[in-house]
Amino acid sequence: MTTRCTASLDGQLWCGPYVAWEEVIPLTLHLQTACFIAIAYLSGMRPGEALNLERGCHRINPSTKLHELHGTTWKNARTPDDAKDPEGQPRRNPWIVHPLAGKAVEVLEQVHTSELLFPKTLRPKPLRGTNGRSDARAGTGQTAAKMTTDIESFIGWVNDYCVRHQRNDRIPEDADGRITANRFRRTLAWHIVRRPRGLVAAVIQYNHISTLVTQGYSGNYHSGFPNELAMERWLERIERLTDIDRYLESGGHVSGPAAEELRERTQQAASKFQGRVLPTRRQAENLLNDPSLQVFKGDGLHCVFDKTTALCTKNEDAPNLGRCHSTCGNIARTDADILEVKAALDRLPQDRFAPPIRHHRAQQVAEHLTGIITSHEYRDR
Ligand code: SF4
């Protein structure tokens, strides 16, 4: 190719300076797969929905400024004679997506001229000796099974690239087996609910995505994604209470004004839900409102939520953990929470020569955190 490569990775050209002609189609195929991963993962779409997106599906809503993907739905799609519509129908509510998913659509629109964003082939013309099909859609789209093979090959390419460039950020083997196109949907729900800690960027991104996708569906359950989230929330809540139950059973100590309430709710939840077969997603949504399950993990604390005494909210039915007040009566702490408080104490700046206001503030926070630790380790026992 005569066009120079310009994209860089960690300040170095990712390849180059030119791409060999015979590498263009294989590399474009990997780019297409990467775009599929970005779209499927960041939108929570079903693989079939992502694979049927068409050119021009990405729009920015002029009033909300949100990024929308417009697509086709087959669920409940009927023709005027009330028969099942094999062509599907335009989805009433678009998916609201992270801007990166919109960027992936723009990339796909530049790499080929097909109507479908994920065509079966990226070659610009039919191979010699074969006749092009007259219908634009039938048989021209990528299938979910082929996408799974492409994902495998994309992972192989990334790992091979890492070896060739002595990088250590290769994609590891997955303990749960092959990465199928279907798995992205569940993975997004898992990450939104569990908010991986440690990676600040990831926490911010998942908060952002969570707001976007929930905003986008605003009560529309056609996509099924809110159900996916409800199921994940239910699993996460049950797993957490099971962990606390095990901790208490083994003599674990809890401190804080809501310590007793945490013990009671854990006991109630254990007797109500232990051994219970996983409910359907709809049931999960209803069960999430059970009073015994209103326990949320915050930074260095558990929020045993009671709306009447909450200091972060007056009207919401869930805590606003980002605005947690240290004097709230809904706080309970386990040993694991105290470890987080100790880590926060260690992270405080120790700069004695800092401006007096900053130094004084750091001292106040340190005293507060030390008080929490002392109270847990000595006074509340
Ligand atoms: S202030 Fe903190 S502990 Fe109190 S309800 Fe809100 S999040 Fe929970």
Side-chain angles (χ1 to χ4, degrees):
M1 296 284 285
T2 52
T3 313
R4 284 184 82 94
C5 294
T6 53
S8 58
L9 187 58
D10 293 342
Q12 307 274 326
L13 276 186
W14 73 277
C15 86
Y18 298 99
V19 173
W21 174 252
E22 62 274 15
E23 279 186 47
V24 172
I25 292 287
L27 282 176
T28 313
L29 195 61
H30 290 317
L31 179 62
Q32 177 182 267
T33 310
C35 289
F36 172 84
I37 292 171
I39 295 171
Y41 180 51
L42 294 174
S43 67
M45 278 183 201
R46 296 184 176 94
E49 292 168 332
L51 290 172
N52 274 286
L53 290 173
E54 292 183 359
R55 186 170 285 279
C57 65
H58 173 222
R59 296 171 215 165
I60 299 178
N61 187 304
S63 46
T64 61
K65 305 284 178 252
L66 293 172
H67 290 251
E68 299 177 348
L69 291 191
H70 293 255
T72 309
T73 181
W74 280 266
K75 200 173 174 186
N76 303 326
R78 317 291 297 176
T79 61
D81 338 325
D82 204 30
K84 199 167 179 204
D85 189 349
E87 288 290 304
Q89 279 165 4
R91 206 170 178 272
R92 234 182 311 141
N93 286 33
W95 288 273
I96 306 296
V97 292
H98 189 277
L100 273 176
K103 179 79 191 157
V105 171
E106 282 170 21
V107 169
L108 289 168
E109 286 172 343
Q110 287 171 50
V111 296
H112 58 69
T113 52
S114 308
E115 197 49 32
L116 288 171
L117 287 187
F118 296 97
K120 198 184 227 166
T121 174
L122 287 169
R123 292 181 191 278
K125 286 185 208 151
L127 289 172
R128 210 177 300 142
T130 61
N131 293 324
R133 301 183 67 121
S134 54
D135 49 343
R137 177 182 289 275
T140 58
Q142 181 70 280
T143 62
K146 171 70 170 45
M147 188 48 83
T148 299
T149 317
D150 288 348
I151 291 169
E152 217 163 60
S153 134
F154 173 71
I155 293 173
W157 181 84
V158 171
N159 288 346
D160 187 46
Y161 183 91
C162 289
V163 171
R164 278 188 283 119
H165 293 82
Q166 287 102 44
R167 298 184 61 93
N168 56 9
D169 48 354
R170 63 187 298 282
I171 302 171
E173 289 286 318
D174 194 292
D176 294 313
R178 279 180 108 193
I179 312 281
T180 59
N182 265 320
R183 285 179 57 187
F184 294 111
R185 185 174 166 86
R186 175 93 199 276
T187 309
L188 178 66
W190 193 94
H191 276 101
I192 287 176
V193 171
R194 292 162 205 252
R195 311 256 161 91
R197 289 177 191 271
L199 276 173
V200 175
V203 176
I204 296 169
Q205 287 299 317
Y206 286 120
N207 271 330
H208 185 39
I209 294 170
S210 167
T211 316
L212 285 175
V213 294
T214 5
Q215 245 177 340
Y217 293 119
S218 58
N220 173 356
Y221 278 67
H222 287 298
S223 75
F225 191 73
N227 291 341
E228 208 81 38
L229 276 180
M231 189 62 151
E232 240 7 275
R233 287 202 168 105
W234 153 262
L235 286 173
E236 193 264 349
R237 212 81 69 83
I238 289 291
E239 277 167 26
R240 182 156 6 93
L241 279 160
T242 309
D243 286 347
I244 300 174
D245 187 43
R246 241 183 260 140
Y247 170 76
L248 292 174
E249 286 276 298
S250 61
H253 171 59
V254 188
S255 60
E260 202 40 53
E261 183 63 22
L262 178 64
R263 283 198 194 88
E264 269 174 37
R265 288 195 195 178
T266 310
Q267 239 174 24
Q268 283 167 10
S271 59
K272 245 188 214 175
F273 301 113
Q274 224 164 41
R276 192 164 170 164
V277 176
L278 276 184
T280 63
R281 286 166 188 166
R282 291 279 172 171
Q283 282 174 304
E285 213 160 56
N286 293 333
L287 287 175
L288 274 173
N289 296 324
D290 191 282
S292 67
L293 295 182
Q294 306 315 305
V295 176
F296 302 84
K297 179 74 185 92
D299 283 333
L301 58 89
H302 276 81
C303 165
V304 190
F305 186 64
D306 177 348
K307 190 172 161 179
T308 57
T309 49
L311 295 183
C312 59
T313 177
K314 282 285 157 265
N315 311 315
E316 303 293 322
D317 289 327
N320 186 341
L321 289 160
R323 291 202 182 164
C324 187
H325 289 237
S326 55
T327 50
C328 184
N330 294 342
I331 293 176
R333 289 191 176 91
T334 62
D335 287 353
D337 292 323
I338 292 301
L339 285 180
E340 288 176 15
V341 177
K342 285 181 176 170
L345 184 60
D346 288 345
R347 283 197 303 271
L348 279 179
Q350 308 280 343
D351 185 3
R352 276 206 258 140
F353 300 107
I357 296 181
R358 195 161 9 122
H359 180 59
H360 181 62
R361 175 74 193 129
Q363 261 188 329
Q364 275 183 328
V365 177
E367 275 165 27
H368 173 67
L369 296 180
T370 311
I372 291 173
I373 297 166
T374 316
S375 163
H376 181 85
E377 294 185 339
Y378 304 105
R379 270 182 263 155
D380 280 10
R381 293 221 182 233

